Amino acid sequence: MLHDSDGNEEHTTGSVNEKVAEKKPNDGIKDKCQCTNGCSVRSCSCFESGSGCNSSCGCSPSCQNLFNHLDYFFGENHRLSAHSCFAKWLMNHSKNANGFETIDRDKLRKRLMKAAKQVEAFDDDDLQEWLEEWRTIDESEKLAHTQQLFRLLISDHSSSFYYSFCDNGVFDEDCHWHCVKCQKCVEWRFWHCNRCNKCTYFKEEEFLLEYMQHWNFLLGTYGVSSPCERCGRM
Ligand SMILES: [Zn+2]
Ligand SMILES: [Zn+2]
Ligand SMILES: [Zn+2]
Ligand SMILES: [Zn+2]
Ligand SMILES: [Zn+2]
Ligand SMILES: [Zn+2]
């Protein structure tokens, strides 16, 4: 979604990262829905963003939004949405419109732990703390602790890392993201070109300049060079 920020004069690496994160198409679909068709399709803005419906939606009582059942993963009273990558995976993997019970949480927990170990994500404070507790708790606490790992890695409030189902690995949120338009994970330097309807990127050395020019284009000020390497239009 376009937004009103035009702070692209900042040149530090940090701010470039921020700008890249800001114009993800994933943003701007947080509005609550007004569906009359049960919220089980992508035309529902809540479903599309991996969120459950709530009382501010105009949809109940016919609501059948799959993501109303996310407490199965995140625990009661957390009201989190699924990370966009997890949301896509859930759309493909939940056979049962009534919930996620067919998905094995322990198997998913093992998959996340294995991936986190591979990239040493357990050096991260939150994850390290989680792992230390995991080793000491007894059987009865394991489900709640598993849900905490899910909140850390596959919710929209994930830690500095998230688990990518597309790429089967744990990634730094600043270096990797899931594009909801392409429905795939890409590196940070990719951004979604609405004209091409694809994620695209510029060569490293040209990145900042091209990005800023494209950004001006998207804002309607029509920069001096082409908007992206694929469509190549002025
Ligand atoms: Zn809806
Ligand atoms: Zn809704
Ligand atoms: Zn709904
Ligand atoms: Zn993904
Ligand atoms: Zn393009
Ligand atoms: Zn994309």
Coordinates of all heavy atoms in Angstrom, one line a residue, residues 33-124:
C33 N -13.2 -6.3 8.7 CA -14.0 -6.6 7.5 C -15.5 -6.3 7.8 O -15.9 -6.1 8.9 CB -13.8 -8.1 7.2 SG -14.6 -9.2 8.4
Q34 N -16.2 -6.3 6.7 CA -17.7 -6.2 6.7 C -18.3 -7.2 5.8 O -19.2 -7.0 5.0 CB -18.0 -4.8 6.1 CG -17.5 -3.6 6.8 CD -18.1 -3.3 8.2 OE1 -19.3 -3.7 8.4 NE2 -17.4 -2.8 9.1
C35 N -17.8 -8.5 6.0 CA -18.2 -9.5 5.1 C -19.6 -10.0 5.3 O -20.1 -10.1 6.5 CB -17.3 -10.7 5.2 SG -15.6 -10.3 4.9
T36 N -20.3 -10.5 4.3 CA -21.5 -11.2 4.4 C -21.4 -12.6 4.0 O -22.4 -13.4 4.1 CB -22.6 -10.5 3.6 OG1 -22.1 -10.4 2.2 CG2 -23.0 -9.1 4.1
N37 N -20.2 -13.0 3.6 CA -20.1 -14.4 3.0 C -19.4 -15.4 3.9 O -18.9 -16.4 3.5 CB -19.4 -14.3 1.7 CG -18.0 -13.7 1.8 OD1 -17.5 -13.5 3.0 ND2 -17.3 -13.5 0.7
G38 N -19.2 -15.0 5.2 CA -18.6 -16.0 6.1 C -17.2 -15.9 6.4 O -16.6 -16.6 7.2
C39 N -16.5 -15.0 5.7 CA -15.1 -14.7 6.0 C -14.1 -15.9 5.7 O -13.1 -16.0 6.4 CB -14.9 -14.2 7.4 SG -15.9 -12.8 7.8
S40 N -14.5 -16.8 4.9 CA -13.6 -17.9 4.7 C -12.8 -17.8 3.4 O -12.2 -18.8 2.9 CB -14.4 -19.2 4.7 OG -15.4 -19.2 3.7
V41 N -12.8 -16.7 2.8 CA -12.1 -16.4 1.5 C -11.2 -15.2 1.6 O -11.4 -14.4 2.5 CB -13.1 -16.3 0.3 CG1 -13.8 -17.6 0.0 CG2 -14.1 -15.2 0.6
R42 N -10.4 -15.1 0.6 CA -9.4 -14.0 0.6 C -10.0 -12.6 0.5 O -9.3 -11.6 0.7 CB -8.3 -14.3 -0.4 CG -7.5 -15.4 0.0 CD -6.2 -15.5 -0.8 NE -5.4 -16.6 -0.2 CZ -4.1 -16.7 -0.3 NH1 -3.5 -15.8 -1.0 NH2 -3.5 -17.7 0.3
S43 N -11.2 -12.6 0.0 CA -11.8 -11.3 -0.1 C -12.1 -10.7 1.3 O -12.3 -9.5 1.4 CB -13.1 -11.3 -0.9 OG -14.0 -12.2 -0.3
C44 N -12.0 -11.5 2.3 CA -12.2 -11.0 3.7 C -10.8 -10.4 4.1 O -9.8 -11.1 4.1 CB -12.6 -12.1 4.6 SG -12.5 -11.7 6.4
S45 N -10.8 -9.1 4.5 CA -9.5 -8.5 4.8 C -8.9 -9.1 6.1 O -7.7 -9.1 6.2 CB -9.7 -7.0 5.0 OG -10.7 -6.7 6.0
C46 N -9.7 -9.6 7.0 CA -9.2 -10.3 8.2 C -8.5 -11.6 7.8 O -7.4 -11.9 8.2 CB -10.3 -10.6 9.2 SG -11.1 -9.1 9.8
F47 N -9.2 -12.4 7.1 CA -8.7 -13.7 6.6 C -7.4 -13.5 5.8 O -6.4 -14.1 6.0 CB -9.7 -14.4 5.7 CG -9.3 -15.7 5.2 CD1 -9.6 -16.9 5.9 CD2 -8.7 -15.8 4.0 CE1 -9.2 -18.1 5.4 CE2 -8.3 -17.1 3.5 CZ -8.5 -18.2 4.2
E48 N -7.4 -12.5 4.9 CA -6.3 -12.2 4.0 C -5.1 -11.9 4.8 O -3.9 -12.2 4.4 CB -6.7 -11.1 3.1 CG -5.6 -10.4 2.3 CD -5.2 -11.2 1.0 OE1 -6.2 -11.7 0.4 OE2 -4.0 -11.2 0.7
S49 N -5.2 -11.2 5.9 CA -4.1 -10.8 6.7 C -3.7 -11.8 7.8 O -2.9 -11.5 8.7 CB -4.3 -9.4 7.3 OG -5.4 -9.4 8.2
G50 N -4.4 -13.0 7.8 CA -4.1 -14.0 8.8 C -4.6 -13.6 10.2 O -4.1 -14.1 11.2
S51 N -5.6 -12.8 10.3 CA -6.2 -12.4 11.6 C -7.6 -13.0 11.8 O -8.3 -13.1 10.8 CB -6.4 -10.9 11.6 OG -5.3 -10.2 11.3
G52 N -7.9 -13.3 13.0 CA -9.3 -13.6 13.4 C -10.2 -12.4 13.3 O -9.7 -11.3 13.4
C53 N -11.5 -12.6 13.2 CA -12.4 -11.5 13.2 C -12.7 -11.2 14.7 O -12.5 -12.0 15.6 CB -13.7 -11.9 12.5 SG -13.5 -12.0 10.7
N54 N -13.1 -10.0 15.0 CA -13.5 -9.7 16.3 C -14.7 -8.8 16.3 O -15.3 -8.6 15.3 CB -12.3 -9.0 17.1 CG -11.9 -7.7 16.5 OD1 -12.7 -7.0 16.0 ND2 -10.6 -7.4 16.6
S55 N -15.1 -8.3 17.5 CA -16.4 -7.5 17.6 C -16.4 -6.3 16.7 O -17.5 -5.8 16.5 CB -16.7 -7.2 19.0 OG -15.6 -6.6 19.6
S56 N -15.3 -5.8 16.3 CA -15.3 -4.6 15.5 C -15.6 -4.9 14.0 O -15.7 -4.0 13.2 CB -14.0 -3.7 15.6 OG -12.9 -4.5 15.3
C57 N -15.6 -6.2 13.7 CA -15.9 -6.6 12.3 C -17.4 -6.5 12.1 O -18.2 -6.7 13.1 CB -15.5 -8.0 12.0 SG -13.7 -8.2 12.1
G58 N -17.8 -6.4 10.9 CA -19.3 -6.4 10.6 C -19.8 -7.7 10.2 O -20.9 -7.8 9.6
C59 N -19.2 -8.8 10.5 CA -19.5 -10.1 9.9 C -20.3 -11.1 10.8 O -21.0 -11.9 10.2 CB -18.2 -10.8 9.5 SG -17.1 -11.2 11.0
S60 N -20.1 -11.1 12.1 CA -20.7 -12.1 12.9 C -22.3 -12.1 12.7 O -22.8 -11.1 12.3 CB -20.4 -11.9 14.4 OG -20.8 -10.6 14.7
P61 N -23.0 -13.2 13.0 CA -22.5 -14.4 13.6 C -22.2 -15.5 12.5 O -21.9 -16.6 12.9 CB -23.8 -14.9 14.4 CG -24.9 -14.4 13.6 CD -24.4 -13.1 12.9
S62 N -22.2 -15.2 11.2 CA -22.0 -16.2 10.2 C -20.5 -16.4 10.0 O -20.1 -17.2 9.1 CB -22.6 -15.7 8.9 OG -22.0 -14.5 8.5
C63 N -19.7 -15.8 10.8 CA -18.2 -15.8 10.5 C -17.6 -17.2 10.6 O -17.8 -17.9 11.6 CB -17.5 -14.9 11.5 SG -15.8 -14.8 11.2
Q64 N -16.9 -17.6 9.5 CA -16.2 -18.9 9.5 C -14.7 -18.7 9.2 O -14.1 -19.5 8.7 CB -16.8 -19.8 8.5 CG -18.3 -19.9 8.6 CD -18.8 -21.3 8.1 OE1 -18.1 -22.0 7.4 NE2 -20.0 -21.6 8.5
N65 N -14.2 -17.5 9.6 CA -12.8 -17.2 9.4 C -12.0 -18.3 10.2 O -12.0 -18.4 11.4 CB -12.5 -15.8 10.0 CG -11.1 -15.4 9.7 OD1 -10.2 -16.2 9.4 ND2 -10.9 -14.1 9.8
L66 N -11.1 -19.0 9.4 CA -10.2 -20.0 9.9 C -9.4 -19.4 11.1 O -9.1 -20.1 12.0 CB -9.3 -20.4 8.8 CG -8.4 -21.5 8.8 CD1 -9.2 -22.8 9.0 CD2 -7.7 -21.6 7.5
F67 N -9.0 -18.2 10.9 CA -8.0 -17.6 11.9 C -8.7 -17.2 13.2 O -8.0 -16.7 14.1 CB -7.3 -16.4 11.2 CG -6.5 -16.8 10.0 CD1 -6.9 -16.6 8.7 CD2 -5.3 -17.5 10.2 CE1 -6.2 -17.0 7.6 CE2 -4.5 -18.0 9.1 CZ -5.0 -17.7 7.8
N68 N -10.0 -17.4 13.3 CA -10.6 -17.3 14.6 C -10.1 -18.3 15.6 O -10.3 -18.2 16.8 CB -12.1 -17.4 14.5 CG -12.7 -16.3 13.8 OD1 -12.1 -15.2 13.5 ND2 -14.0 -16.5 13.3
H69 N -9.4 -19.3 15.1 CA -9.0 -20.4 15.9 C -7.5 -20.4 16.2 O -6.9 -21.4 16.6 CB -9.4 -21.8 15.2 CG -10.8 -21.9 14.9 ND1 -11.8 -22.2 15.8 CD2 -11.4 -21.6 13.7 CE1 -13.0 -22.1 15.2 NE2 -12.8 -21.8 13.9
L70 N -6.9 -19.3 16.1 CA -5.4 -19.2 16.2 C -5.0 -19.4 17.7 O -3.8 -19.7 17.9 CB -4.9 -17.8 15.8 CG -4.7 -17.7 14.3 CD1 -4.3 -16.2 13.9 CD2 -3.6 -18.6 13.7
D71 N -5.9 -19.4 18.6 CA -5.4 -19.7 20.0 C -4.9 -21.1 20.1 O -4.2 -21.4 21.1 CB -6.5 -19.3 21.1 CG -7.8 -20.0 20.8 OD1 -7.9 -20.7 19.8 OD2 -8.8 -19.7 21.6
Y72 N -5.3 -22.0 19.2 CA -4.7 -23.3 19.1 C -3.2 -23.3 19.1 O -2.5 -24.1 19.7 CB -5.3 -24.0 17.9 CG -4.8 -25.4 17.7 CD1 -5.2 -26.5 18.5 CD2 -4.0 -25.8 16.6 CE1 -4.8 -27.8 18.3 CE2 -3.6 -27.1 16.4 CZ -4.0 -28.1 17.2 OH -3.6 -29.4 17.0
F73 N -2.7 -22.3 18.4 CA -1.2 -22.1 18.3 C -0.7 -21.1 19.3 O 0.4 -21.3 19.8 CB -0.8 -21.7 16.9 CG -1.2 -22.6 15.8 CD1 -2.3 -22.4 15.0 CD2 -0.5 -23.8 15.7 CE1 -2.6 -23.3 14.0 CE2 -0.8 -24.8 14.7 CZ -1.9 -24.5 13.9
F74 N -1.4 -20.0 19.5 CA -0.8 -19.0 20.3 C -1.2 -18.9 21.7 O -0.7 -18.1 22.5 CB -1.1 -17.6 19.6 CG -0.5 -17.5 18.2 CD1 -1.2 -16.9 17.2 CD2 0.7 -18.1 17.9 CE1 -0.7 -16.8 15.9 CE2 1.3 -18.0 16.6 CZ 0.6 -17.4 15.6
G75 N -2.2 -19.8 22.1 CA -2.7 -19.8 23.5 C -3.8 -18.8 23.6 O -4.0 -17.9 22.8
E76 N -4.6 -19.0 24.7 CA -5.8 -18.1 24.9 C -5.3 -16.7 25.2 O -4.3 -16.5 25.8 CB -6.6 -18.7 26.1 CG -6.9 -20.2 26.0 CD -8.3 -20.4 25.4 OE1 -9.1 -19.4 25.5 OE2 -8.6 -21.4 24.8
N77 N -6.2 -15.8 24.9 CA -6.0 -14.4 25.4 C -4.8 -13.7 24.8 O -4.4 -12.7 25.3 CB -5.9 -14.3 26.9 CG -7.1 -14.9 27.6 OD1 -8.3 -14.7 27.1 ND2 -6.9 -15.6 28.6
H78 N -4.2 -14.2 23.7 CA -3.1 -13.4 23.1 C -3.6 -12.6 21.9 O -2.9 -11.6 21.6 CB -2.0 -14.4 22.8 CG -1.2 -14.8 24.0 ND1 -0.3 -14.1 24.6 CD2 -1.3 -16.0 24.6 CE1 0.1 -14.7 25.7 NE2 -0.4 -15.9 25.7
R79 N -4.6 -13.0 21.3 CA -5.2 -12.2 20.2 C -4.2 -11.8 19.1 O -4.1 -10.7 18.7 CB -5.9 -11.0 20.7 CG -7.0 -11.3 21.6 CD -7.7 -10.1 22.2 NE -9.0 -10.4 22.8 CZ -10.1 -10.5 22.1 NH1 -10.1 -10.3 20.8 NH2 -11.2 -10.8 22.7
L80 N -3.3 -12.7 18.8 CA -2.3 -12.4 17.8 C -2.8 -12.9 16.4 O -3.6 -13.8 16.3 CB -1.0 -13.2 18.1 CG -0.3 -12.7 19.4 CD1 0.8 -13.7 19.7 CD2 0.2 -11.3 19.2
S81 N -2.2 -12.3 15.4 CA -2.5 -12.7 14.0 C -1.3 -13.6 13.6 O -0.2 -13.6 14.2 CB -2.5 -11.6 13.1 OG -3.5 -10.7 13.4
A82 N -1.6 -14.4 12.6 CA -0.5 -15.3 12.1 C 0.5 -14.4 11.3 O 0.1 -13.5 10.6 CB -1.1 -16.4 11.2
H83 N 1.7 -14.7 11.4 CA 2.7 -14.1 10.5 C 2.2 -14.4 9.1 O 1.7 -15.5 8.8 CB 4.1 -14.8 10.7 CG 5.2 -14.1 10.0 ND1 5.4 -14.3 8.7 CD2 6.1 -13.2 10.4 CE1 6.5 -13.6 8.3 NE2 6.9 -12.9 9.3
S84 N 2.5 -13.5 8.1 CA 1.9 -13.7 6.8 C 2.4 -15.0 6.1 O 1.6 -15.6 5.4 CB 2.3 -12.5 5.9 OG 3.7 -12.3 6.0
C85 N 3.6 -15.4 6.4 CA 4.1 -16.7 5.9 C 3.3 -17.9 6.5 O 2.9 -18.8 5.8 CB 5.6 -16.8 6.1 SG 6.3 -18.1 5.1
F86 N 3.1 -17.8 7.8 CA 2.4 -18.9 8.5 C 0.9 -18.9 8.0 O 0.3 -20.0 7.8 CB 2.5 -18.6 10.0 CG 1.8 -19.7 10.9 CD1 1.9 -21.0 10.6 CD2 1.1 -19.2 12.0 CE1 1.3 -22.0 11.4 CE2 0.5 -20.2 12.8 CZ 0.6 -21.5 12.5
A87 N 0.4 -17.7 7.8 CA -1.0 -17.6 7.3 C -1.2 -18.3 6.0 O -2.2 -19.1 5.8 CB -1.4 -16.1 7.2
K88 N -0.3 -18.1 5.1 CA -0.3 -18.8 3.8 C -0.3 -20.3 4.0 O -1.0 -21.0 3.3 CB 0.8 -18.3 2.9 CG 0.8 -18.9 1.5 CD 2.2 -19.3 1.2 CE 2.3 -20.3 0.1 NZ 3.7 -20.8 -0.1
W89 N 0.6 -20.7 4.8 CA 0.8 -22.2 5.1 C -0.5 -22.8 5.6 O -0.9 -23.8 5.2 CB 2.0 -22.4 6.0 CG 2.4 -23.8 6.2 CD1 3.2 -24.6 5.4 CD2 2.0 -24.6 7.4 NE1 3.3 -25.8 6.0 CE2 2.6 -25.9 7.2 CE3 1.3 -24.4 8.5 CZ2 2.5 -26.9 8.1 CZ3 1.1 -25.4 9.4 CH2 1.7 -26.7 9.2
L90 N -1.1 -22.0 6.6 CA -2.3 -22.5 7.2 C -3.4 -22.6 6.2 O -4.2 -23.6 6.2 CB -2.7 -21.6 8.3 CG -1.9 -21.7 9.6 CD1 -2.4 -20.6 10.6 CD2 -2.1 -23.1 10.3
M91 N -3.5 -21.7 5.3 CA -4.5 -21.7 4.2 C -4.4 -23.0 3.4 O -5.4 -23.6 3.0 CB -4.5 -20.5 3.3 CG -4.9 -19.2 4.0 SD -4.6 -17.8 2.9 CE -4.5 -16.4 4.1
N92 N -3.2 -23.4 3.2 CA -2.9 -24.6 2.4 C -3.0 -25.9 3.2 O -3.2 -26.9 2.6 CB -1.5 -24.5 1.7 CG -1.4 -23.4 0.7 OD1 -2.4 -23.0 0.2 ND2 -0.2 -23.0 0.5
H93 N -2.9 -25.8 4.5 CA -2.8 -27.0 5.3 C -4.0 -27.4 6.2 O -4.0 -28.4 6.7 CB -1.5 -27.0 6.1 CG -0.3 -27.3 5.4 ND1 0.3 -26.4 4.6 CD2 0.4 -28.5 5.2 CE1 1.4 -27.0 4.0 NE2 1.4 -28.2 4.3
S94 N -4.9 -26.5 6.3 CA -6.0 -26.8 7.2 C -7.2 -27.3 6.3 O -7.7 -26.6 5.5 CB -6.4 -25.6 8.0 OG -6.6 -24.5 7.1
K95 N -7.4 -28.6 6.5 CA -8.5 -29.2 5.7 C -9.8 -29.0 6.3 O -10.8 -29.1 5.7 CB -8.2 -30.8 5.7 CG -6.8 -31.1 5.6 CD -6.5 -31.9 4.2 CE -5.1 -32.2 4.0 NZ -4.2 -31.1 3.8
N96 N -9.8 -28.7 7.6 CA -11.1 -28.6 8.4 C -11.5 -27.2 8.6 O -10.7 -26.4 9.3 CB -10.8 -29.4 9.7 CG -12.0 -29.4 10.6 OD1 -13.0 -28.7 10.3 ND2 -12.0 -30.3 11.6
A97 N -12.6 -26.8 8.1 CA -13.0 -25.4 8.3 C -13.3 -25.0 9.8 O -13.4 -23.8 10.1 CB -14.3 -25.1 7.5
N98 N -13.4 -26.0 10.6 CA -13.7 -25.7 12.0 C -12.5 -25.5 12.9 O -12.6 -25.2 14.1 CB -14.5 -26.8 12.6 CG -15.9 -26.9 12.0 OD1 -16.5 -25.9 11.7 ND2 -16.3 -28.2 11.7
G99 N -11.3 -25.6 12.3 CA -10.2 -25.3 13.1 C -8.9 -25.9 12.6 O -8.8 -26.4 11.5
F100 N -7.9 -26.0 13.5 CA -6.6 -26.4 13.0 C -6.2 -27.7 13.7 O -5.0 -28.1 13.6 CB -5.6 -25.4 13.4 CG -5.8 -24.0 12.8 CD1 -5.9 -22.9 13.6 CD2 -5.8 -23.9 11.4 CE1 -6.1 -21.6 13.0 CE2 -6.0 -22.6 10.8 CZ -6.2 -21.5 11.6
E101 N -7.2 -28.4 14.3 CA -6.8 -29.6 15.1 C -6.1 -30.7 14.3 O -5.4 -31.5 15.0 CB -8.1 -30.2 15.7 CG -8.5 -29.5 17.0 CD -9.3 -28.2 16.8 OE1 -9.6 -28.0 15.6 OE2 -9.4 -27.4 17.7
T102 N -6.2 -30.7 13.0 CA -5.5 -31.7 12.3 C -4.0 -31.4 12.2 O -3.2 -32.3 11.7 CB -6.0 -31.9 10.9 OG1 -6.0 -30.6 10.2 CG2 -7.5 -32.5 10.9
I103 N -3.6 -30.2 12.6 CA -2.2 -29.9 12.5 C -1.5 -30.3 13.8 O -1.9 -29.9 14.9 CB -2.0 -28.4 12.2 CG1 -2.5 -28.1 10.8 CG2 -0.5 -28.0 12.3 CD1 -2.7 -26.6 10.5
D104 N -0.4 -31.0 13.7 CA 0.3 -31.5 14.9 C 1.2 -30.5 15.4 O 2.3 -30.1 14.8 CB 1.1 -32.8 14.4 CG 1.8 -33.5 15.6 OD1 2.1 -32.8 16.6 OD2 2.1 -34.7 15.4
R105 N 0.9 -29.9 16.6 CA 1.7 -28.8 17.1 C 3.1 -29.2 17.5 O 4.0 -28.5 17.4 CB 1.0 -28.2 18.3 CG -0.3 -27.4 17.9 CD -1.0 -26.9 19.1 NE -1.7 -27.9 19.8 CZ -2.6 -27.8 20.7 NH1 -3.1 -26.5 21.0 NH2 -3.2 -28.8 21.4
D106 N 3.2 -30.5 18.0 CA 4.5 -30.9 18.4 C 5.5 -31.1 17.3 O 6.7 -30.8 17.3 CB 4.4 -32.2 19.2 CG 5.5 -32.4 20.3 OD1 5.7 -31.3 21.0 OD2 6.1 -33.4 20.3
K107 N 4.9 -31.6 16.2 CA 5.7 -31.7 15.0 C 6.2 -30.4 14.4 O 7.3 -30.2 14.0 CB 4.8 -32.4 13.9 CG 5.6 -33.2 12.9 CD 4.6 -34.1 12.1 CE 4.9 -34.1 10.6 NZ 3.9 -34.6 9.8
L108 N 5.2 -29.4 14.5 CA 5.6 -28.0 14.1 C 6.6 -27.4 15.0 O 7.6 -26.8 14.5 CB 4.3 -27.2 14.1 CG 4.4 -25.8 13.6 CD1 4.9 -25.7 12.1 CD2 3.0 -25.1 13.6
R109 N 6.5 -27.7 16.3 CA 7.5 -27.2 17.3 C 8.9 -27.7 17.0 O 9.9 -27.0 17.0 CB 7.0 -27.6 18.7 CG 7.8 -26.9 19.8 CD 8.8 -27.8 20.5 NE 8.3 -29.2 20.8 CZ 9.1 -30.2 20.9 NH1 10.4 -30.1 20.7 NH2 8.6 -31.4 21.1
K110 N 8.9 -29.0 16.6 CA 10.2 -29.6 16.3 C 10.8 -29.0 15.0 O 12.0 -28.8 14.9 CB 10.1 -31.1 16.1 CG 9.9 -31.9 17.4 CD 9.8 -33.4 17.2 CE 9.4 -34.1 18.5 NZ 8.5 -35.3 18.2
R111 N 10.0 -28.8 14.1 CA 10.4 -28.2 12.8 C 11.0 -26.8 13.1 O 12.1 -26.4 12.5 CB 9.2 -28.1 11.9 CG 9.5 -27.5 10.5 CD 8.2 -27.7 9.6 NE 8.4 -27.0 8.4 CZ 7.4 -27.0 7.5 NH1 6.3 -27.7 7.6 NH2 7.6 -26.2 6.4
L112 N 10.3 -26.0 13.9 CA 10.8 -24.7 14.2 C 12.1 -24.7 15.0 O 13.1 -23.9 14.7 CB 9.8 -23.9 15.0 CG 8.8 -23.0 14.3 CD1 8.1 -23.7 13.1 CD2 7.7 -22.4 15.2
M113 N 12.2 -25.6 16.0 CA 13.4 -25.7 16.8 C 14.6 -26.1 16.0 O 15.7 -25.6 16.1 CB 13.2 -26.7 17.9 CG 12.4 -26.1 19.1 SD 12.2 -27.3 20.4 CE 13.8 -27.3 21.2
K114 N 14.4 -27.0 15.1 CA 15.5 -27.5 14.2 C 16.0 -26.4 13.3 O 17.2 -26.2 13.2 CB 14.9 -28.7 13.3 CG 16.0 -29.4 12.6 CD 15.4 -30.6 11.8 CE 16.5 -31.1 10.8 NZ 15.8 -31.7 9.7
A115 N 15.1 -25.6 12.8 CA 15.5 -24.5 11.9 C 16.2 -23.4 12.7 O 17.1 -22.8 12.2 CB 14.2 -24.0 11.2
A116 N 15.7 -23.2 13.9 CA 16.3 -22.1 14.7 C 17.7 -22.5 15.1 O 18.6 -21.7 15.1 CB 15.4 -21.9 15.9
K117 N 17.9 -23.8 15.4 CA 19.3 -24.2 15.7 C 20.2 -24.1 14.5 O 21.4 -23.7 14.7 CB 19.2 -25.7 16.2 CG 18.9 -25.8 17.7 CD 18.7 -27.2 18.1 CE 18.2 -27.3 19.5 NZ 17.4 -28.5 19.9
Q118 N 19.7 -24.3 13.4 CA 20.6 -24.3 12.2 C 21.2 -22.9 12.0 O 22.3 -22.8 11.5 CB 19.8 -24.7 10.9 CG 19.8 -26.2 10.8 CD 18.8 -26.7 9.7 OE1 18.1 -25.9 9.1 NE2 18.8 -28.0 9.5
V119 N 20.5 -21.9 12.3 CA 21.0 -20.5 12.1 C 21.4 -19.9 13.4 O 21.6 -18.7 13.5 CB 20.0 -19.6 11.4 CG1 19.8 -20.1 10.0 CG2 18.7 -19.5 12.1
E120 N 21.5 -20.7 14.5 CA 21.9 -20.2 15.8 C 21.0 -19.0 16.3 O 21.5 -18.1 17.0 CB 23.4 -19.8 15.8 CG 24.3 -21.0 15.6 CD 25.7 -20.7 15.3 OE1 26.1 -19.5 15.4 OE2 26.5 -21.7 15.1
A121 N 19.8 -19.2 15.9 CA 18.8 -18.1 16.4 C 18.6 -18.2 17.9 O 18.1 -17.3 18.5 CB 17.5 -18.3 15.7
F122 N 19.0 -19.3 18.5 CA 18.8 -19.4 20.0 C 19.9 -18.6 20.7 O 19.9 -18.5 22.0 CB 18.9 -20.9 20.4 CG 17.6 -21.6 20.1 CD1 17.6 -22.7 19.3 CD2 16.4 -21.2 20.7 CE1 16.4 -23.4 19.0 CE2 15.2 -21.9 20.5 CZ 15.2 -23.0 19.6
D123 N 20.7 -17.9 20.0 CA 21.6 -16.9 20.6 C 20.8 -15.7 21.0 O 21.2 -14.8 21.8 CB 22.8 -16.6 19.7 CG 23.7 -17.7 19.6 OD1 23.6 -18.7 20.4 OD2 24.6 -17.7 18.7
D124 N 19.7 -15.5 20.3 CA 18.8 -14.3 20.5 C 18.3 -14.4 22.0 O 17.9 -15.5 22.4 CB 17.7 -14.4 19.5 CG 16.6 -13.4 19.8 OD1 16.8 -12.2 19.5 OD2 15.5 -13.8 20.3

